[in-house]
Amino acid sequence: MEALVEGELESGTGLNQEVGIKRPSDTRWGSHFSSLLNIKNIYSSICEVLEDLGRDNSDRDRKAEAIRILRSLKSFDFVFCLHLMVDILGITNHLNTTLQRKDQDIVNAMNQVSSSKRVIQEIRDVGWEPLLGNITLFCDKHDVRIVDMEHEYYDGFSRRRGSQDGNVNNLHHYHVDVFKAVIDMQLQELNHRFNEANMKLLLCIACLCLHESFKAFDLDKLMEMATLYREDFPTEYDLQVLEVELKNYIKDVREDERFNQLKSIGELSKKMVEAQKHIIYPKVYLLLKLALILPVATASVERAFSAMKLIKTDVRNKMGDQFLSDSLVSYIEKIVLDSFNNNTIVKLYQAIRSRRVQL
């Protein structure tokens, strides 16, 4: 209400809805970004609630816990880490959301990965001063004591000793030990999961995409992909044969109407077998098989494994494999099941066998 009166917020339909502390996601694909962002947005309200609990004398344990949490929230260390993680997780959360889209193609996905790496690196290079400025404004607004960056860093228990040159001050701790260390860990994780070789291989596989009459087809990249599988294409002769087959193959499938409605590489390989083209282009078919056997775990697979602990609990731990599979399909494919009405399901079960009563 105070923000509306002072003009800091605008009123209107769908604006300024009530916000709570978001529960973290149960899956590994989830991010804590939304949780931290909500804490940042309702920081003052959280502090007010904790202050009220700290004055409650009816429950001493709850009072002591509230005072302890409030002391942590009102510390510069917490505010600094909160702002830093909101900035970093904001980038990776967008990347996670992009990669989980079912209609996302490999080229756009890899471009998004490269873009996220560049943005994080830019924060490391020139993001310190803007971050510190935002933290200072936040601390002034919420009455959080700002530490002197030139003073010796104190972690609350003992003063940390640095190198032989002297003690570590607050500037070195927050700028080097926290800010740069966290960003370097994030970049290292992204580089490990999406290294140059993996990204190059995925971009080469994207050239097999069927959309818009094989628009993404690139002979040079597919030949580069073949060179990564030396056991399957061991000699220069094999590579030359593959190049000739690829040139003939792309003209053939573009003119064949049977290949117009396909949507995936898996469907393409099946159609090649049905049309006996895997015999005509054996090297191309081998390249398709190599693309299909890559160990790729999608977000849907991750959600399926996460759903198991919700379906097969300690109380229901003796269910058979078939019942577990049926339950998982019903739980995961909620959108599909919503398209069926209850009457259709009742009629289906009624028709399975004769019953004493009408369902």
Side-chain angles (χ1 to χ4, degrees):
M1 293 300 297
E2 293 177 356
L4 289 172
V5 172
E6 295 177 0
E8 296 180 3
L9 295 177
E10 296 182 0
S11 60
T13 303
L15 298 178
N16 310 315
Q17 300 296 312
E18 184 177 357
V19 177
I21 301 178
K22 185 179 179 64
R23 178 184 176 184
S25 175
D26 293 329
T27 66
R28 58 180 291 185
W29 286 89
S31 171
H32 295 288
F33 171 70
S34 298
S35 302
L36 296 178
L37 187 61
N38 284 356
I39 292 176
K40 180 181 176 182
N41 291 335
I42 60 174
Y43 178 83
S44 58
S45 300
I46 296 175
C47 292
E48 289 179 5
V49 173
L50 292 173
E51 289 174 356
D52 292 339
L53 292 175
R55 292 191 291 266
D56 185 9
N57 295 322
S58 60
D59 191 334
R60 292 187 176 181
D61 292 338
R62 186 173 66 173
K63 176 181 179 179
E65 183 72 6
I67 294 175
R68 184 186 65 81
I69 296 176
L70 180 61
R71 185 180 297 115
S72 298
L73 289 178
K74 299 289 284 187
S75 66
F76 180 83
D77 193 70
F78 175 85
V79 173
F80 182 89
C81 293
L82 175 64
H83 280 73
L84 174 61
M85 295 313 299
V86 165
D87 290 348
I88 299 300
L89 292 181
I91 301 171
T92 56
N93 180 73
H94 181 259
L95 177 61
N96 286 341
T97 304
T98 302
L99 295 179
Q100 291 181 67
R101 288 178 52 185
K102 293 183 179 181
D103 59 343
Q104 184 64 264
D105 64 87
I106 297 177
V107 176
N108 286 335
M110 293 302 99
N111 290 337
Q112 188 64 41
V113 171
S114 300
S115 177
S116 299
K117 289 181 180 180
R118 290 194 297 269
V119 173
I120 295 177
Q121 183 63 47
E122 184 178 352
I123 292 178
R124 189 187 190 280
D125 296 336
V126 298
W128 167 252
E129 293 296 337
L131 174 66
L132 194 60
N134 293 333
I135 294 173
T136 302
L137 294 175
F138 187 89
C139 291
D140 292 337
K141 180 179 179 180
H142 298 283
D143 297 326
V144 178
R145 188 179 67 85
I146 302 175
V147 300
D148 190 336
M149 289 298 173
E150 299 301 326
H151 286 179
E152 181 182 356
Y153 171 68
Y154 180 61
D155 60 5
F157 298 97
S158 61
R159 295 189 181 279
R160 173 183 168 182
R161 299 298 176 181
S163 61
Q164 297 179 357
D165 297 334
N167 300 330
V168 172
N169 59 15
N170 289 318
L171 178 61
H172 182 278
H173 170 73
Y174 288 108
H175 190 197
V176 179
D177 296 343
V178 180
F179 178 77
K180 290 187 175 181
V182 169
I183 294 178
D184 289 343
M185 289 173 61
Q186 188 64 64
L187 286 174
Q188 183 179 4
E189 179 68 15
L190 288 176
N191 290 329
H192 174 70
R193 292 181 178 272
F194 304 98
N195 57 47
E196 184 177 354
N198 291 340
M199 294 180 66
K200 181 186 296 184
L201 179 59
L202 290 173
L203 290 174
C204 292
I205 294 175
C207 297
L208 296 170
C209 182
L210 296 77
H211 294 301
E212 299 182 19
S213 186
F214 299 87
K215 181 180 179 181
F217 181 84
D218 190 318
L219 178 62
D220 294 334
K221 288 186 177 180
L222 290 175
M223 292 302 301
E224 185 179 358
M225 174 183 172
T227 59
L228 299 176
Y229 293 93
R230 280 300 182 183
E231 293 184 0
D232 299 281
F233 301 95
T235 65
E236 189 66 27
Y237 172 79
D238 294 318
L239 294 175
Q240 292 176 356
V241 172
L242 173 63
E243 184 176 4
V244 174
E245 286 190 8
L246 284 171
K247 292 178 180 178
N248 295 331
Y249 152 82
I250 191 60
K251 293 180 180 179
D252 190 356
V253 293
R254 281 175 174 171
E255 297 174 355
D256 195 331
E257 295 181 355
R258 293 175 295 180
F259 291 83
N260 292 341
Q261 304 299 325
L262 303 180
K263 298 180 180 180
S264 66
I265 299 177
E267 293 181 3
L268 173 61
S269 61
K270 291 180 181 179
K271 184 59 67 174
M272 286 192 67
V273 175
E274 294 175 2
Q276 299 294 313
K277 292 186 183 297
H278 69 298
I279 301 175
I280 303 175
Y281 309 108
K283 298 294 184 182
V284 177
Y285 185 67
L286 175 59
L287 203 63
L288 287 172
K289 290 195 295 183
L290 293 174
L292 288 172
I293 63 176
L294 279 175
V296 178
T298 62
S300 301
V301 176
E302 295 287 347
R303 293 194 186 100
F305 281 104
S306 300
M308 286 186 181
K309 64 181 180 182
L310 301 177
I311 301 299
K312 194 169 185 178
T313 62
D314 294 337
V315 181
R316 307 166 63 190
N317 61 352
K318 293 184 179 180
M319 67 171 64
D321 292 341
Q322 186 60 47
F323 183 52
L324 174 62
S325 177
D326 295 341
S327 301
L328 285 173
V329 170
S330 302
Y331 180 83
I332 295 171
E333 302 296 341
K334 297 178 182 177
I335 299 177
V336 177
L337 291 180
D338 287 340
S339 61
F340 299 99
N341 56 48
N342 293 336
N343 292 332
T344 303
I345 299 174
V346 170
K347 291 179 180 179
L348 175 63
Y349 277 94
Q350 185 71 51
I352 291 177
R353 60 182 176 88
S354 59
R355 304 176 187 274
R356 294 183 179 179
V357 297
Q358 185 73 21
L359 294 179

